Amino acid sequence: MIPPPDLATPEGRATYRAELRGIARPIRYMGVILMLVGLALVLFRHFSMPALPSILPLVFIILGVLHMLAGIVVRLRYHQRRMSGE
C-alpha cells in the first residue's frame, strides 16, 4: 500500500507529475508511432502508389488512437488508485 502523493508542496507536485508521465509511456508512444505510420502511408499513397488500399492507412490511424486511449485509461486508473491510497 503506497500512501497518496504529497501535493501540498511544489516539489511534491513536480515529483508526482514526473511519476504520472512515466505511466503507460510505451503504450502512448506506440499510439503516436502508429498514427505517424498511418500518416506516412496516406502521403505515400497520395504521391507514389495510388493502388495502395485506402483502408490500410486508416487502420494504422485507428490503432494509434486506440493505443492513445488505452494509455489515457491506464494512467487515469493509476491516478485514481494512487489518490485513494491503494
Side-chain angles (χ1 to χ4, degrees):
M1 185 169 193
I2 301 173
D6 176 28
L7 301 178
T9 64
E11 296 83 19
R13 287 190 295 271
T15 302
Y16 186 59
R17 193 175 303 121
E19 180 182 335
L20 276 181
R21 271 195 301 264
I23 302 300
R25 183 177 284 176
I27 297 171
R28 291 182 284 129
Y29 281 174
M30 181 56 74
V32 170
I33 290 169
L34 287 169
M35 286 190 278
L36 289 175
V37 168
L39 175 64
L41 283 173
V42 165
L43 294 174
F44 181 71
R45 181 179 184 275
H46 181 72
F47 290 115
S48 298
M49 193 173 168
L52 186 72
S54 61
I55 192 76
L56 188 61
L58 186 61
V59 168
F60 276 94
I61 292 171
I62 289 172
L63 285 175
V65 169
L66 289 176
H67 269 77
M68 291 295 293
L69 290 174
I72 290 169
V73 168
V74 167
R75 189 171 154 176
L76 177 67
R77 293 187 72 202
Y78 175 84
H79 172 71
Q80 290 173 341
R81 283 194 317 266
R82 185 72 198 278
M83 294 309 271
S84 70
E86 288 184 21

